[in-house]
Amino acid sequence: MGVRKIVLAGAVSFLALSSAMPTFAQDSADQAGAVAAADIVVTGIRGSLQRNLDIKRTSAGVVDVISAEDIGKFPDSNVAASLQRLPGVSINRSGSRGEPDGITVRGFGGDFNETLIDGRRISTATGGRSVDFSSVGADFVGQLAVLKTPDVSLSSSSIGATVNISYPKPFDSPGTRVAFSASGSVQDEAGKVVPTVGALFSKTFADDTLGILVDGIYTRRDTQTNRVYVSGWQGGLFAPCQLAGSSAATCNPSDATTASASDRKSVVGWYGQQYGADQRYTKDERIDGRIALQWAPSDDVVLTLDDNYSRQKIVTDISGFGVWFNQGSMRNVKQDENGTTIDFVQQGSPTDFTAGTDTRVLETNQVGLNVKWDATPNLKIEADGSYSKSRQNPGGEITSENGDIGYGGLLGTANGIRVSGSSSKAFPELTAFGPNGDASRWTDPSILGSHVTVRQQQLNSDVIKQFRLGATWEQDNLTIKFGGRYMEDRFKLQNSSTFTNNFWQAYAGYGGPSGQGSGVLIPASLIQGTIGTNNFIPGFSGSLPPGLLAYDARAYQAYLEGLGNPQAQNIPGYNYGCCGTAYTGKFDLLLDPGSVQDVREKTWSAYVRVNFEADVAGMPFHFNAGAREEITKLASSGIGRLPVSIAGSTADPTLLTVAFGDQQPITTKSSYSYFLPSLDMKLELTDKLHLRFDASRTLTRPALNTLTPVLNVGVGQRVGALTATGGNPSLQPYLADNFDLAAEWYYQRNSYASVNFFIKDVSNFVVAGTQRQGINGVIDPSTGAEAVFTVSQRVNGPSAVIKGVELAWQHVFGDSGFGFNANATFVKTNKPYDDTDLSQSGFAVTGLANSANLVAFYDKHGFQFRTAINWRDEYLQQFGQAQNNSAFGAEPTFVNASTQIDLSTSYQINERLSIFGEALNITNETVSTHGRYSNQLLDVYAYGRRFTAGARYRF
C-alpha cells in the first residue's frame, strides 16, 4: 500500500494544483487563438505530447503513441523504458542488468506482443516471438505506436498489442539535418564511466527528389549486480520421521506402501533445491547502424531502400557460491502453515564456490525495399519486401564457461537454510557453513578442490522473408484497403556442451581432503581474492557467509587441461569413471542431438478494411470494419533418442550420467488457418468528447523454440532431480476475442482524460504441462527403482477471460511549462492462480498486474525536467523455475511488486547545442521473485542506480 500511496500522492498533488489554477488553464485554452498557437513549441516534451495526442485522437482504433521530441532526441535511452509511460504498458527487467528488456500490455507479455519496424516483423534469434528491447537503440527512433486494437492491414498476430517502431527517413525532413550525441554513464556499484556516442546525417537534393539518411550509435552499459537465490522450490512428500520432533530411531523415507508409517512419504511440503549468492559484472555493448535511401522519380512514386543493423554483446562475469539439497536427506524439518520448509538439517552438504563467464552476441540485419505509387487521385498502391536475419553467437562464441570448486565428502557440513520472512523483505540464510561447520575456514584455500567444469555453446539463427502488397481506394468519406502478405520464418537452434560428453565431471570429487577418491586441489594462485557480502542486498534482512571467492573459470579450466592427457599417463585426481577413453585432456564441446531444432513456418494472409464517415444526429461517426484470413504451414525437424541406462558417480554422489540409444531424425508437419475480423466505431459526441467501441479477434502463435518434435533428456543429471523437456509441433495459436469501450475527453490543447474498459476472452492457452514419469524403463541407481523424470511439455489448454480498465490523464498547465501524464491500469481474470491446487495441470493467466505511472515535467525557456514514477503490483510471471522437479507440476514464479523512480533533465544552450542528464532508480529498488508462497524466495537482484550526462548538437 505504501507504493500505491506514493503514486496516488503524486497524482493528487497535481489534481490540487490544477484545481487551484482553473481560470489560468481555461483562459490559456480559450484565448490562445491563431497567434498563440503559432507560439506553441513544436519540439520538446510538450510538442511531442501534442503529436501523440493528435494521433490518438484521429486513429480508428485504440492507439497510444510516443514521438521523438526532436530528431535524435527520444525521451528515453531504451525503447521499453519509453513504452512503460503508456496506459496498460508495464516493463520486464533483466535481473542481472536491471535493463528493461520486454513489455507487458494489459497483462500480456513477451510473445503476445508483436514488434514491427516500419511495418515489418523483425527476426529474433532468441527463439521466442518477442523482441529483446535492450537490443533496440532508441536514440534515433522517430516514433513508437502501440496498437491495442488491431489494424488488419498491418497485422492481427498479437493478443496484447502491436508495437510499430518508425525510424526517420530523409523525405520526413527535407534539406540537411545533422545530429550528434555523446554521453557518459555510470552505475554506482560498477563505478566505471562508460560512453555512448552517436551521429545522424540526413540530406535531400535534386529538388528534394533524392534523399539519404545515415545514423550510427555505440552504446555501452556496465552493471554490477548482487544476487541471492534459491534455484527452485520443489514440492513433494516428506516422511514423518524427517519432521522436527520425530522420535523415530531410524529414518528411511520411502514411497512404498509397505514402509512403516514413520518412513512412508505422506506429508506435503516444499523445499529449496539449491541455495546461493553471487555477484555479477556485466558489460553490455551495442552498435546500431542504419541507412535509408529515397527516390521520387515522379510526383506519384516514392521508393525507399533501407538497411537496419544492430549488434549487441553482453558479457557477464560471475562469482558466487551454491549449496545443493536433496529432499530425502533432510532431517529435523520445520514447516510453516503452507508446508514451506523454513528450517532443516542436511548432513554432509558439499559447498561449491562458483565462477563463470556468460557471453551472448545477438546480431540482426534487416534490409527492405518499399514502393508507394499514387496510381490515380483515388487509388494508392504500396509494395514492400524485406529480408531479416538474426544470429545468436554468429562468431561461434562460447555461451557459458563455468567452474565449481569447493569441498564435500569428509568435509561436508551439517546445514540447511532458514526462512525468516517475505521474499520482498528478507532472503533465506544458511544455518551453518564452512568445512564440518567451521565458519572460520569458509574459504580456506588449503582444502579447495575441483568439482565440475561446464562449457556450453548455443548457436541460434532466425531468418524472415516477407512481402506485402496493398492498395487503398479513397473517395469522399469512403476508404477501402485490401491486400495480402507472405511471410516465411525459419528458426534453427543447436547446443553443444561438456554435459553431452560428460567431460564436466572429469575432475569431480573435490580432491584428497574431501576423501571422495578424485578431484585435485586448486592452487592458491588461481584465487583472485574475496568479495564482501556486507549489506549485499539493500533493504533486505538476512545474513550471508563473509565472502565470495573470485576466480576466473577459464583459468580454472586451463589449469585442469594443463594436467595432461589421462589416457596417456596416470593423473591422480582424474575421475576415470566418468568419461571412458574420450577425454584426452581438453574440455571439448560435443553437440547435444536432442537440442537440434529446425522450424520453418510459412504464412499467407489476405485482408480487406472499409472505413467510412457519416453524421448521426449531427455528430460525426467513424466506422471501420475489416477482416484478415491467415493460413500457416509448419515443418519442424529434430533428432530423437531415448535413454538406455543411468550411472552414478563415484566421485560425487549427487551426479548422474545418462547413456542413450541410436539417434533418429524426426520431421513433422502441421497447418492451420483462422479468420480474424475487426470492428472499430467512434462517435464524436462533441468536438472534445469521443466514444469508442472496438471488437476483434486476434491470435498469438506459440514460440518457435517450443515446436521441436523430440523429447530431450540431458546427459548430465543430479540425484533427485531427473528432468526432460519435450516440444510440441502441433500447438495451435492462442485465440482472443477482444472488446474495448472507451471515452476520451480532449478538453484543451495538449490535455485529455480517458477511460477504457476492455475484455479479452482467450482460448487455446499454451500450458507448460509437467508430469513425472518413467522413460524407456531405465533404472535410477540412487534409488534402485525405475527412474522418475520430471517431463515438461507444452500443450494447448483451457480458456480464460481477462477484464480491465485503463485510466489516463494528460494535462499541461497553460503556458506555465508544467504538466503531467498519469495513468493506471487495473486487471483481473476468472483464472487466477490457486496455490492450493496440487494437480500437475494447474493453470492461471500469467503477467496480470495492476500498474500505475506518473510523469511530471517542466518544459520552458529551453529547460526540461522530468520525473517518472512507475509502479507494478505483484504478478505471476511464468510456470517453471530454474530447477523444477516438483511432484506437483510446474511450480510458479511470481514477481514481487516494485516501484522505480527516474529523473531526467536537459537545457537548450542555443538552437544547436543542448546538455542533458539522467538518474535511474534513484531509490535503489531491487527486483525479487518468489515461488508458490510469498516466503519462497527465488531471486533477488540489487542492480543499483545509474547516472548519465551528455550533450547533443544538431544543425
Side-chain angles (χ1 to χ4, degrees), residues 422-441:
S422 168
S423 58
S424 63
K425 299 178 181 179
F427 54 77
E429 302 173 290
L430 282 176
T431 55
F433 57 86
N436 292 320
D438 186 349
S440 68
R441 301 181 66 195

Side-chain angles (χ1 to χ4, degrees), residues 12-43:
V12 170
S13 65
F14 277 100
L15 277 169
L17 183 57
S18 64
S19 64
M21 302 173 63
T23 304
F24 174 78
Q26 190 61 46
D27 287 348
S28 61
D30 294 342
Q31 300 174 10
V35 175
D39 294 332
I40 294 294
V41 180
V42 294
T43 60

Side-chain angles (χ1 to χ4, degrees), residues 822-891:
N823 61 73
T825 304
F826 304 94
V827 291
K828 65 178 182 178
T829 178
N830 66 335
K831 295 292 178 64
Y833 183 73
D834 180 3
D835 58 25
T836 65
D837 183 0
L838 301 185
S839 70
Q840 295 181 353
S841 59
F843 168 74
V845 179
T846 60
L848 293 184
N850 297 333
S851 61
N853 307 300
L854 173 63
V855 179
F857 63 85
Y858 176 81
D859 175 17
K860 195 172 183 180
H861 303 307
F863 177 72
Q864 293 184 4
F865 184 84
R866 182 185 351 231
T867 301
I869 305 174
N870 304 109
W871 170 76
R872 188 178 188 182
D873 206 353
E874 178 184 287
Y875 66 96
L876 173 63
Q877 182 183 47
Q878 64 184 30
F879 284 92
Q881 300 171 2
Q883 298 284 343
N884 200 114
N885 312 298
S886 176
F888 309 135
E891 290 291 322

Side-chain angles (χ1 to χ4, degrees), residues 512-584:
S514 292
Q516 296 186 145
S518 64
V520 296
L521 286 176
I522 301 301
S525 60
L526 285 180
I527 307 302
Q528 301 169 346
T530 59
I531 299 168
T533 57
N534 185 42
N535 195 29
F536 203 65
I537 307 291
F540 271 64
S541 63
S543 63
L544 294 167
L548 311 176
L549 279 181
Y551 67 96
D552 188 329
R554 291 166 294 191
Y556 163 60
Q557 294 171 10
Y559 170 75
L560 296 179
E561 289 183 335
L563 297 176
N565 180 1
Q567 313 306 328
Q569 58 182 314
N570 180 56
I571 300 179
Y574 173 68
N575 180 12
Y576 280 93
C578 87
C579 317
T581 59
Y583 180 79
T584 57

